[in-house]
Amino acid sequence: MLAARGAAARRHSFSSQVQRLHSQTSQQSQLTDPTTGANRLSTWVSELGVLEFPEEISLPDKALQVAVETLKRHKTITYEDIVESEGVKQSVYLDYLKSEIDTENAFLELPLTILVLVSFAILAMNVMHQEQLFALEEAIERDLIENANFAWSGNFGHKGLEQVSSIEDFWSFMRLGLLGLVVKPVWLYSESPLNTTTAWASSWLFPGYDKPAPVKNEYLHYAKLVSGVRMRQQIAAEGSCIVPNVLDPGSVQRWLAKPCFPSDLGLLTPEVNEAENFENLQREEFLFPDLMDKQDLMRKILEMEDGCNYAQSIGSLDTCRCSWCKDQPKPRPWVDEETARVEISMVLFNPQYGSYTYVSINFVFNRGGHVYAFIHCLSAFVDFFMRPVSELAITFVAALIWFGALAYATLGETQEIISTVRNSNRGFWRAIRDDYVDFYNVVDWLSIIIGTTAIAYYIRSRLAVAEVNNTLPLMIGASLEPGADYQATAKTFFLAAESMSKAKKDTETLMMFYPLIIMMRLFRSFEAQPRLAIVSSTLRTAAADLAHFFMIFACVYLCFVVSSLLFFGQDLESFSTLDRALHSCFLAMFGDWDWHALSDVGMVRAAVWFWLFMIVMVLFLLNMLLAIIMDAYQMEKYKASDATTLWQQIRDLIQRRRQYTRGERVRLSDVWNTFRKQFAGKEKAMLSSENMISVEFLVKNVTRMPYKQAYRTLVSALERDALLTKGFLTEEQVNKHVEMTLEQMDKKIQDIKADLDFVADKLDFFDRLQAAGDAEYDFYFGAEGHTPDEASRLWIHNSISKISLELQANFAKGLQRIGTWQDEFECEQTELNDSLIEFRLLLHQLFEAVQELSSLVESMDSNNEEPQ
């Protein structure tokens, strides 16, 4: 309360000083003609110290008239003048407040957004542990590619997985390559022993092993094969053969001797995501090392290749181990012309890292006769909590920060929606559409939705892993004691592993997009700092030029893409389809091309296309794109050259906080809330109001708002509105402005030339004209007949006389004013003396009253003592 009274007293004192200054300086000073005494010019000084002239001036002296009009034309009206005289429109002022509040809030969100990104990165890295999964999957893929050899010649296998090019190679790989790699019943030596007559040990004992090595179903020494190997395939439906219309269908059928099974699989090199398709897979067969030894497994593979034909020829079809082949009406091999894709899958458990790995070896048979082989691994950890305590602590802290930030963002956006709907009279959806939806609000909701969905997907993946964990004991029991339900348990385990793999992959894919959304939120915070906003401002400034440029760029680029598709598509897979050609041409623009592959289609054709592409796309268009961006960057950098730095802005925020704590300023949000209360929360009506806001209005209505802050914010609001209205001049506009200035200068030069010609004509006229007694004549020729020294002394004498008269008049007025002040001072001194005399009489009366009171007290004391 005392601070408020003190501030009010200071404001009153400042206002009274301004009024006294106005009363003293606003008195008109008149320039009078020393000879006639007529008023020639009336001026006054405003409160801000600016020389003011009357609106309409009529002076007999034309030179003085022209000078005054020139001064009036060049008079500068400042924003401070407008604030003092007129005030600021409420819409302009509140728009400035809203901009400042939003900018400050966005800037304050920058540390929070960075903290969200860092916490999410720590959480994702500690939960995913991609480096461990890479080590697992890389070891498995390398082993299957390099060590699953077939086509043996002695101790050397000539082919591997990537050399499988036919159905025969596929079965050879399965029987001699994969089976020999996965199933190892004896200990393998580094090389074949030189002395073949020695009985070399087939197993070894190691410390800590319950049984001699090799351990059954062990893979790569550290992993364990769970259940066995599953084989499934995707088949193509029978279709019509494409033949010339001139041929007879019956003869063509007899000539071909078998139907056609068209398929779009394997047209080009398959991608790994095709291995994640577990739908429509048929002809399921299992290889169980727990149920059969290596020889039985090899025999089953042979019978799958043979289609149980040998078993049927010897009359023992029931002994065939291929269940699907045995159930067919006629002997059929497991892989035939219908086969489009074969998946060989197995699940590996690695107790060293505590992980499951679903290994999928895929063979895609295209209808050209080529076989594509590739490996795809999907891994997941058994238990997230089986980590060091220090790592778990960091992970939990990061998770709490990230969850808290996600909840904070959700709460803030929800409150903003509620506030928007309450302040609107147009219904829920229209209010959301018109008053709430913008780019960064959409970004915020995308971050919330993707973050929440990522949590849901992660929980789903952990539930899928829990299902595998629950099935693993049944699979271990069936492996230790195989029984009739072994295959059913294995099917259940493989289905759970499939669900786990898909859930893990979906979670990783979704989490990949979250940092990209956080990047957009970072750009919003960057825009609150002029030097950090250069990148986004550059793109915004260059948006119009980029839009027009990309229309040309896209058309020219598409022409080259189509030409590359026609030139190289038949010979190079990277140009065989439109999407691949788009990607390959994009890489070529940045120097990633294979000239040897391009030249295979023809040296001249490839050189012509390549030269044209490099000259047009790289040398011309790509450099033009860089020029557009750099031009906009230079402009934005120039704009931000005088802007505050990040550290200065941080210091300003700290200083504002300290000033608010000391009561030297109020928060802009408090000013905003004051206007909201006046308009009952109707922000749209509040922002559209055209009421004029003055400094006194803000000081009166906003609690504890200092006069200086009110004045400063009003001036800043006007400056911002003028900047938004005027905008920043582009280079083209600057050139036009310079051109107009030069034209005006040329026009003024022509006017000066015309004036000089006029003066010359006047001089010539006056040289030939004599009109004694004329004032103008006397002014120019009054000193004729005198020497130059006499003329100079005469002019000095007249000038000093005029100045003396003016000084005498001003001195007289000053003395008169001093006399008036002296009279007023004598009156005030007389009043002060009278007051002192009255005060002295009051003191004398008070002294007499005290003496009387003292005598009364003494008499009362004496009366009290007498009865005693």
Side-chain angles (χ1 to χ4, degrees), residues 144-192:
L144 291 174
I145 292 174
E146 296 184 358
N147 296 329
N149 300 323
F150 62 99
W152 291 87
S153 175
N155 292 326
F156 182 76
H158 292 271
K159 293 185 177 181
L161 175 65
E162 296 176 346
Q163 283 74 45
V164 174
S165 58
S166 64
I167 295 177
E168 294 79 11
D169 287 344
F170 166 75
W171 289 117
S172 181
F173 167 81
M174 286 297 302
R175 182 165 49 87
L176 302 178
L178 182 63
L179 190 62
L181 187 68
V182 175
V183 180
K184 297 178 180 179
V186 296
W187 177 262
L188 299 180
Y189 283 84
S190 57
E191 298 288 347
S192 297

Side-chain angles (χ1 to χ4, degrees), residues 232-236 263 265 273-282 334 338-344 358 360-365 367 374:
R232 298 185 300 175
Q233 63 175 276
Q234 183 176 349
I235 63 174
S263 173
L265 291 177
N273 59 344
E274 297 184 22
E276 299 169 9
N277 179 20
F278 302 125
E279 305 295 333
N280 301 322
L281 294 175
Q282 306 174 18
W334 191 76
E338 297 181 18
T339 303
R341 170 189 162 214
V342 174
E343 183 208 48
I344 313 298
Y358 183 90
S360 174
I361 309 171
N362 294 267
F363 299 89
V364 180
F365 300 81
R367 291 307 178 250
F374 64 97

Side-chain angles (χ1 to χ4, degrees), residues 12-25:
H12 177 72
S13 176
F14 179 78
S15 177
S16 60
Q17 291 175 6
V18 170
Q19 291 177 359
R20 287 198 300 270
L21 179 64
H22 176 71
S23 63
Q24 293 174 9
T25 59

